[in-house]
Amino acid sequence: MTHPFLDLPPLTAARFAAVEDRVARLLDTRQDVVIMQGEALLPLEGAIRGTAGAGTTALNVITGPYGQTFGNWLRECGATVIDLPVPFHTAATADGVRAVLAAHPEIDFVSLVHAEAATGNTNPVAEIGEVVRAHGALFYLDAVAAVGAEPVLPDAWGVDLCVIGAQKAMGGPAGVSAVSVSERAWTRMAANPHAPRRSYLSLLDWKERWIDAGRKVLPHAPAQLEMLALDACAERIESVGLDAVMARHRGAALATRAGAVALGGGLEPYVYEVADAAPVATTLRVPPGVSATELVARALADDPALPLAAGGGTLAKEMIRVNHYGPDATPKAVLGCLTALGAALAERGLTVDVAGARSAAESAYRG
C-alpha cells in the first residue's frame, strides 16, 4: 500500500536549513532560528530553562494563562519572579513595565505574551521592547498566536527569544515550532550551569550540534511530515504576501467585534478597546445568567465546525472565543459564528438582531 504521506525520502539537512531560513525571512530576523520538533510549549519552556536560574530576577507580565505558566517555570528554575498582572480585558503598557523596572533595577529578564488567544488581547511589543532594551534585560516573547495575524519583528523590537508556532494564524502544523535566539541569549545560556543539556529541551544542543557545526548533519531524525507542512504554509504566506494574510485576520477581528455589538442579546466584547484586541481571536462576554459553555454547545449543535469555544478554566462561564485564525479568518466563518450565537441567544428568550449583526460585520469587512 502506498500513500502520499508514507515512504517519503529522508528530509535532508539542506532542506531543514532552508525551512529555518524561510522562517527567519517571515520574522525579518538575522538571529539564529531553531526549529524544534514539537509543539510550541517545547521552545517556550526550553528557552526559559536555558536562560533563567537562581541568579535571575524576572519581570513576568501576565495578560492570560500563558503568562501564569511562564511565571511557574521561572520559579522552578530558581529565579526571583516579579509578576505584573494585567486585567484580561485590556493590555499591558510600556509605562506599566517601565514603572516595575524602575522599582526593581535588578530585573534582568522580561517575559511577555504577544497575543493571548485565550483572552483575546494583544500587547504593544514594540513599545515594551524599547523600554526593556533601555533597561538592559533579556526579552522573552511568546508570539505563537500573533505570527501571521500581526507584525512580529524580533530584531526591530529587541526581542532576544521569540517563540512562534504555525498552528494558528499561519494555518500550518502544530507538531513543530521555532524560536529565534539573539547572541545575548546564547551567551546567557552558555553561562547557565543549569541550562538543559543532552535533553529534548536543550537549545544549546541545537546550537552546538547543528548551528555551530554548519547545519550539515541533523542532530536527530526530524518530524518529516510536520517540517514539510511548515515549509508549505510559510511558502504560501510568501506567495500571498504577509501583509495580505495579516489584513485578512484584522478584517475578521473587526467584523466579529462589530457584528457582536450589533447582535445584542447582552453579548459584548470582552476586551474593551479595539486597540487592545488581538486579530487572531475575538473574545466575547456573555450576559448575566447565561453560561458561555452552554451557549457555545448550543451554537455548535448545528455546525460543529464553527471556530467557537468557551473560555478556559474560570473563564468558561463568562467568555466565548471566536477563533478566526488561519483558514477561519474569513467572512464565512465570522458570519456563521454570529448567526449561530444569535440563534442560541434567541432560544434563551433574549432579543437579538441577526440580520443587523451580519450587516455590521459585512460593513466592517468593506471598511
Side-chain angles (χ1 to χ4, degrees), residues 22-355:
R22 179 162 264 155
V23 171
R25 291 195 297 273
L26 177 69
L27 298 176
D28 194 21
T29 183
R30 298 177 64 86
Q31 296 178 4
D32 291 323
V33 169
V34 178
I35 296 179
M36 300 192 77
Q37 306 298 283
E39 199 270 339
L41 281 173
L42 174 61
L44 285 169
E45 182 175 358
I48 282 181
R49 296 196 183 277
T51 52
T56 302
T57 301
L59 167 58
N60 181 47
V61 183
I62 301 176
T63 55
Y66 280 100
Q68 294 168 334
T69 297
F70 301 156
N72 293 338
W73 286 340
L74 286 161
R75 290 182 176 91
E76 289 172 8
C77 291
T80 299
V81 181
I82 299 161
D83 286 326
L84 175 58
V86 178
F88 291 174
H89 63 259
T90 185
T93 66
D95 285 343
V97 170
R98 183 182 292 108
V100 178
L101 294 176
H104 299 276
E106 70 276 17
I107 289 173
D108 59 0
F109 185 101
V110 175
S111 53
L112 176 72
V113 177
H114 189 174
E116 285 268 14
T119 51
N121 54 30
T122 191
N123 293 304
V125 182
E127 290 86 350
I128 291 173
E130 184 176 349
V131 172
V132 174
R133 183 165 50 231
H135 184 81
L138 205 72
F139 192 15
Y140 164 100
L141 183 69
D142 171 358
V144 174
V147 65
E150 55 188 307
V152 177
L153 300 167
D155 291 12
W157 298 342
V159 179
D160 295 287
L161 295 155
C162 181
V163 178
I164 68 167
Q167 69 268 32
K168 287 189 167 65
M170 289 178 66
V176 289
S177 48
V179 54
S180 66
V181 187
S182 72
E183 285 301 322
R184 289 202 320 153
W186 285 131
T187 300
R188 179 80 68 94
M189 281 186 230
N192 182 6
H194 300 294
R197 302 305 304 269
R198 295 168 296 282
S199 163
Y200 204 56
L201 287 170
S202 178
L203 284 166
L204 281 176
D205 287 355
W206 276 98
K207 177 172 170 55
E208 293 182 0
R209 298 178 59 191
W210 173 242
I211 296 171
D212 291 348
R215 300 195 301 177
K216 301 296 184 184
V217 179
L218 285 163
H220 53 71
Q224 178 152 323
L225 288 175
E226 287 81 0
M227 286 296 298
L228 293 174
L230 175 60
D231 193 26
C233 85
E235 182 181 23
R236 180 177 60 196
I237 291 172
E238 285 182 357
S239 65
V240 173
L242 180 58
D243 287 345
V245 176
M246 292 191 294
R248 183 162 56 84
H249 285 83
R250 184 168 58 253
L254 292 173
T256 302
R257 189 179 186 92
V261 170
L263 181 63
L267 208 62
E268 60 184 28
Y270 192 89
V271 177
Y272 293 172
E273 301 295 333
V274 174
D276 296 337
V280 73
T282 296
T283 47
L284 304 170
R285 191 184 301 273
V286 299
V290 175
S291 164
T293 300
E294 294 175 4
L295 194 67
V296 167
R298 183 64 195 93
L300 291 175
D302 294 331
D303 188 355
L306 289 173
L308 285 172
T314 58
L315 298 174
K317 293 181 180 179
E318 64 185 39
M319 178 192 285
I320 292 172
R321 294 204 324 263
V322 183
N323 296 314
H324 45 66
Y325 55 70
D328 288 318
T330 64
K332 179 181 179 181
V334 169
L335 295 174
C337 289
L338 292 170
T339 301
L341 288 172
L345 288 165
E347 281 190 8
R348 300 186 66 91
L350 296 166
T351 301
V352 295
D353 182 0
V354 174

